[in-house]
Amino acid sequence: MEPQELDAANPPPSALPPRARLGIGAVIVLVLLAFAATIGIGMLRGATGAEIVDETASPSTSPAALPAEAGLYVHITGAVREPGLYRLDAGDRVADAIARAGGFADDAQRDGVNLARPVADGEQIVVPVVGAETAAPASGGGGSMGGALDLNTATREQLDELPRIGPAMADRILEWREANGRFTSVDDLLSVPGIGEKMLAGIRDLVRV
């Protein structure tokens, strides 16, 4: 057999000095450990579903930072299944409030409330019972709170029965209520087109809020 020629530039591993072989082995071990660590971290993150949270993110997106106007409280009473105090979102309407109260009761006069009207913080929504007397008394005397007509729940027909308030004026009152929310005072009627001081004086004792 002919003797094999040795490449001086690339000696076989057995020809390397022991210290050189040890250094190469250490480098290989470090590379394998780093590779294994990378795979292990990836598997752990995928199993736990952990996400990296940016600590520099603005705290304004936190739910605790929402403005106070984001919620309001409404008292729902009358012919609903679960009357009580409810928290609603800003922009909710009477229909949302009644839904939160379990919906109409079986004896509810459903056309007695304007379901499309936006609700206001602190208001009371009264759903009348079928056959309940809510209109003003014919005599017009005294106008007690119990018999006065609530401007915030009155129907078109009920408003039409007030002195000097015909169908057209009743429609204006309902349009104002739908556009501006609930009446906070009887004097708010002066903001309805066509109602002046003289007309308001004639119905002041017959209505309430």
Side-chain angles (χ1 to χ4, degrees), residues 77 94 109-114 117 123-128 134 148-156 158-159 174 177 182-183 208-209:
T77 185
V94 173
Q109 182 179 333
R110 303 193 176 206
D111 60 352
V113 291
N114 179 7
R117 179 178 62 81
E123 78 163 293
Q124 182 184 66
I125 299 174
V126 181
V127 179
T134 57
L149 181 63
D150 190 336
L151 293 173
N152 291 310
T153 61
T155 64
R156 181 176 184 271
Q158 291 169 342
L159 291 170
L174 294 179
R177 191 173 71 186
R182 69 189 301 269
F183 288 92
R208 63 181 178 88
V209 294

Side-chain angles (χ1 to χ4, degrees), residues 51-65:
E51 295 182 2
I52 298 176
V53 179
D54 185 6
E55 297 291 343
T56 63
S58 173
S60 62
T61 57
S62 171

Side-chain angles (χ1 to χ4, degrees), residues 164 190 195-204:
R164 304 182 65 181
L190 292 173
I195 296 183
E197 293 284 355
K198 187 174 182 180
M199 182 180 292
L200 178 60
I203 64 173
R204 179 182 293 276

Side-chain angles (χ1 to χ4, degrees), residues 10-183:
N10 298 292
S14 60
L16 294 175
R19 182 172 297 178
R21 292 200 302 270
L22 182 61
I24 293 174
V27 171
I28 294 174
V29 170
L30 290 175
V31 171
L32 291 175
L33 289 175
F35 183 68
T38 301
I39 294 176
I41 293 174
M43 293 176 63
L44 179 61
R45 182 172 296 173
T48 59
E51 295 182 2
I52 298 176
V53 179
D54 185 6
E55 297 291 343
T56 63
S58 173
S60 62
T61 57
S62 171
L66 291 175
E69 292 78 8
L72 45 84
Y73 289 88
V74 176
H75 180 205
I76 308 170
T77 185
V80 291
R81 299 188 183 280
E82 298 177 5
L85 181 67
Y86 290 90
R87 183 184 183 278
L88 301 175
D89 294 327
D92 279 353
R93 300 181 182 269
V94 173
D96 301 307
I98 293 176
R100 289 293 304 276
F104 286 112
D106 294 336
D107 57 349
Q109 182 179 333
R110 303 193 176 206
D111 60 352
V113 291
N114 179 7
L115 297 177
R117 179 178 62 81
V119 297
D121 184 39
E123 78 163 293
Q124 182 184 66
I125 299 174
V126 181
V127 179
V129 176
V130 174
E133 182 64 33
T134 57
S139 62
S144 65
M145 289 296 291
L149 181 63
D150 190 336
L151 293 173
N152 291 310
T153 61
T155 64
R156 181 176 184 271
E157 293 73 17
Q158 291 169 342
L159 291 170
D160 186 18
E161 294 177 2
L162 293 172
R164 304 182 65 181
I165 301 292
M169 188 61 67
D171 288 338
R172 292 180 188 177
I173 294 174
L174 294 179
E175 290 171 1
W176 189 97
R177 191 173 71 186
E178 183 171 352
N180 299 277
R182 69 189 301 269
F183 288 92

